[in-house]
Amino acid sequence: MVATLSKYIPGLKIFHSYQREWWQADLMAGVSVAAVALPVGIAYAQLAGLPPVVGIYSSIFPAVAYAFFGSSKQLVVNPDSAACMMVASTIAPLAAGDALRNLDLAILLTFMTGVLCLVGGIAKLGVIANFLSRPILTGYLNGIAFSIMASQLGTLLGFKIPRSGFFLTVWQGISRMGETHFASLILGLSLFALIRLMKRFTPKLPAALFATIAGILAVTVFALPGRGVATVGQIPAGLPVPRIPAFAASELVPLFSGACGIVLVSFCSMMTTARAFAIKNGYPIKVNQDMFALGISDLAAAVGSGFAVSGADSRTAVADASGGKSQVTSIVAAVMMALVLLFLARPLSYVPAAALAAILISSALGLFDIASLRRYYSFSKPEFWFSIIAMLGVMTIGVLPGVLVAVALAIIKLLQRASHPHDAVLLPVSGLEGVYTSSPDEEHDSLPGVLIYRFDASLLFFNADYFKDRVQLALSESGSKPDWFIFNTEAVPLIDITGCEALEEVRRDLENQGIVMVVARAKGMFLANLKKSGLWDSIGKTRFFYSVHAAVLAYQLEHPQTS
């Protein structure tokens, strides 16, 4: 029974075979994760424009859901900066500043995201984890980092700045420097310095928790609310009651569009984290199962009045560094946060907003990846610029539009490359029978009467005309007219109808010139489609060979005077 259920709920297998000696490590790791997740959850709720307690709700139920349904032993599913920014950018224009509408729309958006992930997991669409290339994901996260820091500028300075793009927000902050509330600024900078120093000298301690406690003490001891320092305010004690969100039919389309974007970005980001820790700890990841698990986690967040979540890299790193052995770490962390909500909600109301700004800005610094940008620049200039475009797009036109622009440009570049693939004319290597090369640097023999041509891509509608042009160019540059044109198809896995028609045009053109077309190394779908299209018969089955060398030998047998 457990074996059957564990196919759909992998966590059951872990719990069924759980080893007692793991408990102490999982307990300590869970406490450490909770210590980080609690203040970070409150901060991310603020980032999403939602009440602070919603961030705690979103840290509890999704973590438990993923522990049962996910395939990673270390991954902690919690509020994440990228998902939070996308939630905020989707619901803010619709809610128009109404806090209750914000919450309703966030719940509905999270529900839609969960359903899409569930459907994707069942339909085995986990392959979308590869849709965002590393350069685009790097640029996206760099843009998110800049956007987060800009969004917290007003909180740090002690006045409100309306949500807008990075550059406009920074300009508003600079132009209103005269309104700075110095008590808030000094407190925020002090807590930010505390976090950075702890990350530098005591990286194993939960710096965000210490900064939160220090902020609460400062607010209490120095009576800072009376001096104009903002706090998060009252946090309701107890666990959430499920809420049915109110919405208008006109809001469904923008919410659905936002949900699609969140699925793409949050799942890609989650799988990057999950795979990294799976490789480190030596076990496999099941992408389709994890997409399904993310859907369950988002639905759990929606039922618990939370918002969309993802794989939280910082909390996952804490779980791993603290020695967590299994998904029990996430469950312990969730239980600890639930206990805080039940019995320690009142002290959380004294958390200063400046402390949350310090936590968010520090987290944003951790998203920057300048080293990868340098690597992209030296390796591939186009991919470097895709990364920069994604970053600038997120900073200016918004999170989802910025990513979509970069993805669209990457797809256009990919199609451009696919429509003009590499090809080569091959010649035999001197002294190595049966070995052929396209490199001008290698010593090679001449091969009179034969032209060997290789096309290094599937022959499809978008490169069929290019293929015909390249064949004609190869013939014109060959010097003398060959008797046989040997088409080496080892790098052509597929051909479509347009490709078949192009190949037939080439065959007829060669025939009109008195040149025989020969096909070498045809296999798989390429060969199957040649037979379906009739090219197998028009070329002639005796003109198909298992290797280029076999085709050359066949030519030499037929033309002994040339060999």
Side-chain angles (χ1 to χ4, degrees):
M1 182 65 175
V2 172
T4 303
L5 286 176
S6 62
K7 291 181 181 179
Y8 308 99
I9 312 176
L12 290 179
K13 185 182 293 185
I14 294 294
F15 301 133
H16 184 255
S17 58
Y18 192 77
Q19 299 179 28
R20 185 176 297 178
E21 56 268 25
W22 292 353
W23 169 243
Q24 186 174 355
D26 282 339
L27 176 63
M28 296 306 297
V31 172
S32 298
V33 169
V36 174
L38 191 68
V40 170
I42 295 173
Y44 282 157
Q46 175 185 307
L47 185 63
L50 296 166
V53 72
V54 174
I56 304 177
Y57 296 159
S58 303
S59 302
I60 296 174
F61 301 105
V64 175
Y66 183 83
F68 281 97
F69 289 91
S71 65
S72 172
K73 298 176 184 178
Q74 275 76 36
L75 189 70
V76 178
V77 172
N78 259 205
D80 169 74
S81 57
C84 286
M85 289 294 289
M86 296 194 76
V87 169
S89 64
T90 302
I91 65 176
L94 301 175
D98 186 328
L100 191 58
R101 297 270 301 123
N102 241 13
L103 180 58
D104 281 345
L105 292 172
I107 292 172
L108 183 56
L109 175 64
T110 303
F111 179 80
M112 287 183 172
T113 304
V115 171
L116 287 174
C117 283
L118 281 181
V119 172
I122 293 171
K124 301 188 183 303
L125 298 179
V127 67
I128 71 165
N130 303 318
F131 273 27
L132 288 184
S133 67
R134 286 297 177 88
I136 289 179
L137 194 56
T138 299
Y140 165 75
L141 292 176
N142 285 340
I144 286 289
F146 278 116
S147 299
I148 288 174
M149 289 192 291
S151 71
Q152 298 308 302
L153 183 59
T155 305
L156 202 61
L157 296 174
F159 54 82
K160 188 173 180 61
I161 298 178
R163 286 183 179 271
S164 52
F166 171 82
F167 296 103
L168 183 57
T169 301
V170 171
W171 170 249
Q172 289 182 353
I174 293 172
S175 63
R176 296 172 57 188
M177 279 291 187
E179 302 174 33
T180 300
H181 188 267
F182 287 100
S184 297
L185 179 60
I186 292 170
L187 178 61
L189 292 178
S190 300
L191 295 176
F192 175 76
L194 173 64
I195 292 171
R196 300 314 298 177
L197 288 172
M198 289 190 66
K199 285 184 178 293
R200 175 75 180 274
F201 298 108
T202 56
K204 293 187 176 181
L205 294 178
L209 179 64
F210 277 86
T212 302
I213 294 173
I216 293 173
L217 290 174
V219 164
T220 306
V221 172
F222 299 108
L224 293 181
R227 302 184 182 186
V229 173
T231 62
V232 300
Q234 184 178 2
I235 291 182
L239 299 177
V241 176
R243 176 186 178 87
I244 299 176
F247 62 92
S250 61
E251 295 166 339
L252 292 178
V253 172
L255 287 175
F256 180 78
S257 175
C260 291
I262 293 172
V263 169
L264 175 63
V265 172
S266 64
F267 182 63
C268 291
S269 177
M270 182 180 92
M271 292 314 300
T272 300
T273 303
R275 283 168 170 163
F277 284 93
I279 291 171
K280 179 184 176 185
N281 291 282
Y283 60 86
I285 287 292
K286 300 177 181 178
V287 290
N288 293 314
Q289 179 64 41
D290 271 21
M291 192 172 195
F292 183 86
L294 182 59
I296 295 290
S297 300
D298 278 325
L299 290 181
V303 171
S305 298
F307 54 85
V309 293
S310 181
D313 51 359
S314 61
R315 277 129 291 172
T316 303
V318 169
D320 183 66
S322 302
K325 302 296 183 183
S326 71
Q327 293 95 320
V328 172
T329 296
S330 290
I331 295 176
V332 170
V335 170
M336 295 300 297
M337 284 184 282
L339 291 175
V340 169
L341 264 186
L342 290 170
F343 304 109
L344 295 172
R346 186 174 179 182
L348 293 178
S349 64
Y350 296 106
V351 175
L356 302 181
I359 292 170
L360 287 171
I361 293 173
S362 178
S363 298
L365 290 176
L367 296 176
F368 279 115
D369 191 351
I370 305 302
S372 290
L373 285 178
R374 292 197 191 100
R375 190 169 70 253
Y376 302 151
Y377 186 80
S378 61
F379 179 79
S380 171
K381 298 295 191 301
E383 291 190 280
F384 167 79
W385 286 112
F386 291 151
S387 188
I388 296 298
I389 289 169
M391 180 182 73
L392 293 175
V394 169
M395 293 166 62
T396 53
I397 62 177
V399 179
L400 181 58
V403 172
L404 292 180
V405 166
V407 170
L409 289 173
I411 291 174
I412 290 171
K413 184 66 177 179
L414 180 65
L415 290 175
Q416 183 185 32
R417 288 177 178 173
S419 65
H420 292 73
H422 180 266
D423 63 347
V425 172
L426 305 182
L427 288 167
V429 177
S430 300
L432 296 175
E433 186 178 5
V435 179
Y436 299 84
T437 181
S438 61
S439 173
D441 299 328
E442 293 187 63
E443 291 187 16
H444 52 74
D445 298 327
S446 61
L447 198 59
V450 171
L451 176 67
I452 306 171
Y453 175 76
R454 189 184 71 211
F455 193 69
D456 295 341
S458 292
L459 185 49
L460 304 172
F461 65 94
F462 52 78
N463 61 22
D465 286 339
Y466 178 75
F467 166 74
K468 292 188 294 183
D469 292 341
R470 295 297 293 178
V471 169
Q472 291 301 323
L473 182 63
L475 288 168
S476 65
E477 292 181 347
S478 63
S480 59
K481 187 182 78 172
D483 298 313
W484 276 21
F485 176 85
I486 300 177
F487 183 22
N488 178 9
T489 64
E490 62 182 326
V492 187
L494 183 64
I495 188 171
D496 64 3
I497 292 176
T498 307
C500 287
E501 291 177 354
L503 189 57
E504 173 61 16
E505 289 179 32
V506 168
R507 186 199 68 77
R508 286 199 302 264
D509 185 58
L510 292 172
E511 186 178 55
N512 292 335
Q513 298 179 58
I515 302 172
V516 176
M517 172 179 275
V518 173
V519 178
R521 303 204 65 177
K523 56 188 181 297
M525 289 297 297
F526 176 81
L527 180 58
N529 287 345
L530 288 189
K531 291 180 178 179
K532 288 179 184 177
S533 68
L535 275 168
W536 170 266
D537 297 316
S538 61
I539 293 173
K541 64 181 181 181
T542 59
R543 299 305 187 188
F544 283 82
F545 296 91
Y546 286 109
S547 69
V548 172
H549 192 55
V552 172
L553 292 178
Y555 170 79
Q556 291 173 342
L557 286 174
E558 286 191 23
H559 303 79
Q561 74 281 3
T562 310
S563 57

